[in-house]
Amino acid sequence: MIRNPQNPDFYMNIKNQLKSGLKLRPLLLICASLFIVWCIWFYFTLPDVSYLKTENPERTALMELRIEQAADANKKYRKKQTWIHFGDVPELLKKSIRITEDASFYDHGGLDWTEFWESVKKNVEEGEFARGGSTITQQLAKNLYLSTEKSLFRKFRELFISYSLESELSKNRIFHLYLNVIEFGPGIFGVQAASQYYFDSKVQDLSLSQIVRLTAIIPRPLKVNAAGNSRWLKWKCRWILGKMKLYKYISEDVYKSAIQEFKK
């Protein structure tokens, strides 16, 4: 039905709508003010990451969490961590971790949008946070400053901290910090401590097999033993070796020889 402007009811409806809008105006102003206050709070509570240019963190948020969890369980907690210079980490280990955890690390600004949208799609399909899609920078941000909970707020905060890390630090520095603070097992942080714990070896002396094993447990540091032979570990190692061959980090012959250890 077409409304007739000559009809008095037409103007009455407009008047009522305007009155309703005026009644909502204070509520909208309050909501807008609260949002502005929240944004200011959010910005000023973000950590200052500039000190990481020259300093190594003594503890991370994840370490603090593990200490609390151990205390709650009445268990002693011993942290194993040995810092190592970026240049002393074997190139093959760096490449193995990079192509497994974040192949486009040196190309993005903290967030891999392709992987991000894939993770969003997967999470919507599953109806929960089934896939993280985190880059190396995001993983570092979470390890340094955030909890392990899976929530939109934590993810939102993680993104902003990641952009801060990217703007303040070089890519190599971000990767250097990551290699030294990432969790590899109960109380084990960093590639050097992991190498010594699992293989009684310095990281510089790791074999290809050991490099692949360490890389494989990064997503499941408290569930999988790098020196073990679980089905999942073997599958993951086969997958990593395949990626290393694809990127031509190892030859076909080296691949065929190394894959024998991880056959079903």
Side-chain angles (χ1 to χ4, degrees), residues 31-263:
C31 290
S33 299
L34 289 175
F35 179 72
I36 292 172
V37 170
W38 182 85
C39 288
I40 294 172
W41 169 84
F42 183 86
Y43 176 79
F44 282 102
T45 55
L46 288 174
D48 178 13
V49 303
S50 60
Y51 77 98
L52 293 172
K53 293 177 182 177
T54 56
E55 297 179 33
N56 297 326
E58 294 184 5
R59 281 188 178 180
T60 67
L62 182 58
M63 291 175 189
E64 295 287 355
L65 174 64
R66 298 303 185 218
I67 292 171
E68 291 177 9
Q69 291 173 338
D72 291 340
N74 292 319
K75 294 181 179 179
K76 290 183 178 181
Y77 186 86
R78 182 184 175 189
K79 183 185 76 170
K80 304 176 188 70
Q81 183 188 34
T82 304
W83 279 84
I84 183 172
H85 293 297
F86 187 65
D88 291 334
V89 180
E91 286 300 318
L92 196 58
L93 178 58
K94 294 176 188 175
K95 291 175 179 178
S96 176
I97 291 176
R98 195 176 70 246
I99 62 174
T100 303
E101 293 298 311
D102 186 4
S104 61
F105 171 68
Y106 282 102
D107 299 318
H108 62 63
L111 178 65
D112 184 338
W113 287 103
T114 301
E115 181 63 24
F116 174 77
W117 290 117
E118 284 296 321
S119 66
V120 170
K121 179 181 177 182
K122 180 69 174 179
N123 291 332
V124 170
E125 291 174 353
E126 297 290 333
E128 60 180 356
F129 287 94
R131 175 172 172 173
S134 295
T135 63
I136 282 175
T137 310
Q138 288 174 269
Q139 290 182 52
L140 178 62
K142 181 175 68 174
N143 272 267
L144 289 175
Y145 300 111
L146 303 170
S147 69
T148 57
E149 70 167 332
K150 294 183 178 181
S151 68
L152 285 174
F153 177 76
R154 201 272 295 163
K155 198 69 176 179
F156 191 57
R157 197 167 177 82
E158 177 188 292
L159 291 176
F160 274 82
I161 296 174
S162 297
Y163 283 128
S164 294
L165 289 169
E166 290 279 348
S167 63
E168 292 285 347
L169 311 179
S170 68
K171 282 288 189 179
N172 281 351
R173 178 56 175 164
I174 291 172
F175 201 10
H176 178 215
L177 291 168
Y178 176 87
L179 292 170
N180 278 284
V181 304
I182 192 168
E183 188 176 36
F184 279 97
I188 305 162
F189 296 91
V191 294
Q192 185 70 290
S195 301
Q196 294 167 340
Y197 179 80
Y198 289 111
F199 308 118
D200 193 26
S201 171
K202 292 182 179 179
V203 70
Q204 298 94 322
D205 300 325
L206 290 179
S207 66
L208 173 60
S209 168
Q210 292 167 339
I211 284 174
V212 172
R213 284 174 173 274
L214 280 188
T215 303
I217 69 168
I218 290 175
R220 300 182 178 184
L222 301 181
K223 295 181 179 180
V224 183
N225 186 321
N229 286 295
S230 69
R231 291 182 62 185
W232 184 89
L233 178 66
K234 288 183 176 181
W235 165 79
K236 188 68 173 181
C237 288
R238 292 196 301 271
W239 184 88
I240 294 169
L241 284 169
K243 293 279 283 187
M244 295 176 81
K245 183 184 72 169
L246 179 66
Y247 280 85
K248 301 187 184 304
Y249 295 151
I250 58 175
S251 67
E252 181 72 27
D253 290 340
V254 170
Y255 168 80
K256 288 181 178 179
S257 175
I259 203 73
Q260 298 301 316
E261 180 179 340
F262 304 109
K263 284 190 173 181

